[in-house]
Amino acid sequence: PGLGELRLHQSTVWSWNRAIYDPQGDGHVRIELRALPAGPTVADMVANGAFLLGLTLGLAERVDALLPALPFWQARRNFKQAARHGLDAVMLWPAEVAPSPRPVPVVDLVKQLLPVARRGLTEHGVDPEEADAMLDIIAQRVALRRTGSRWQREVLAKLEAHMPRPDAMAAMLERYLQHAEEGLPVHTWPVE
């Protein structure tokens, strides 16, 4: 079938999960998950993907218990907290005992979930060394509290201390592009 309505709304209705239908040949349907944050580097994006996939696989066996313990309105609240506060966010997360869900600082929640993600990846065929390398990027990012946006703000503040804002912004962008091209994860970038 042509599914014209679905094709009309591709990428405009589903903000995070996007249904894609192509009628060419025998046709195919796929769902794209668009919730991953952008890099600044490929290594950062692959680490984000590994963490998400590992959690998806690692939490799958508990999904029947997790979904009722974290209603949609609370998940939406978590999403908004993360968007507004980044690593300073406090998330609601299901607890083994009442009260549940409980507020948990996002940095503590990530530390708690890293072993779950590792187990999810390795139990589904990812080499343990590769899983560790990717998840270590997440662990270091959280431990050092260094994301791409935090790096930008810190560098901009240092540069603005001795040059006008437009020049500082240009200098920060120049450094950002140089580091991004090197491909090292953002937590390794110097704040210069």
Side-chain angles (χ1 to χ4, degrees):
L3 299 181
E5 184 70 17
L6 175 68
R7 294 180 68 221
L8 173 68
H9 293 290
Q10 290 186 127
S11 81
T12 61
V13 174
W14 300 278
S15 301
W16 298 280
N17 293 314
R18 178 169 80 162
I20 305 292
Y21 172 70
D22 188 348
Q24 291 298 108
D26 293 332
H28 88 244
V29 177
R30 69 181 183 272
I31 303 292
E32 290 183 350
L33 175 62
R34 301 175 56 185
L36 289 173
T41 67
V42 171
D44 289 298
M45 289 186 280
V46 171
N48 293 341
F51 188 50
L52 175 64
L53 180 60
L55 284 177
T56 302
L57 296 169
L59 293 172
E61 65 196 28
R62 294 179 45 210
V63 74
D64 290 336
L66 289 172
L67 288 178
L70 189 67
F72 180 78
W73 72 268
Q74 291 174 336
R76 180 188 329 200
R77 177 208 170 273
N78 283 351
F79 179 83
K80 289 180 179 179
Q81 287 292 310
R84 288 185 183 126
H85 304 289
L87 292 176
D88 295 323
V90 174
M91 301 291 189
L92 295 173
W93 189 253
E96 298 294 326
V97 295
S100 182
R102 290 186 179 166
V104 181
V106 74
V107 293
D108 294 340
L109 184 58
V110 169
K111 291 174 189 174
Q112 174 186 332
L113 293 174
L114 279 167
V116 176
R118 184 186 190 281
R119 182 177 49 79
L121 291 170
T122 57
E123 286 181 358
H124 287 82
V126 175
D127 180 84
E129 287 183 20
E130 190 172 347
D132 290 341
M134 291 299 102
L135 296 176
D136 186 57
I137 292 172
I138 303 294
Q140 292 300 314
R141 189 185 306 154
V142 169
L144 298 172
R145 301 181 68 80
R146 173 73 43 75
T147 63
S149 61
R150 281 186 182 229
W151 181 90
Q152 289 178 41
R153 290 192 312 265
E154 290 173 13
V155 169
L156 184 60
K158 283 191 174 200
L159 292 169
E160 281 184 308
H162 54 344
M163 66 178 70
R165 183 171 180 83
D167 295 341
M169 291 181 75
M172 182 275 296
L173 178 59
E174 185 177 315
R175 287 168 172 80
Y176 182 94
L177 294 172
Q178 175 189 354
H179 291 308
E181 191 170 306
E182 291 169 358
L184 296 175
V186 70
H187 74 268
T188 66
W189 297 5
V191 177
E192 43 193 28

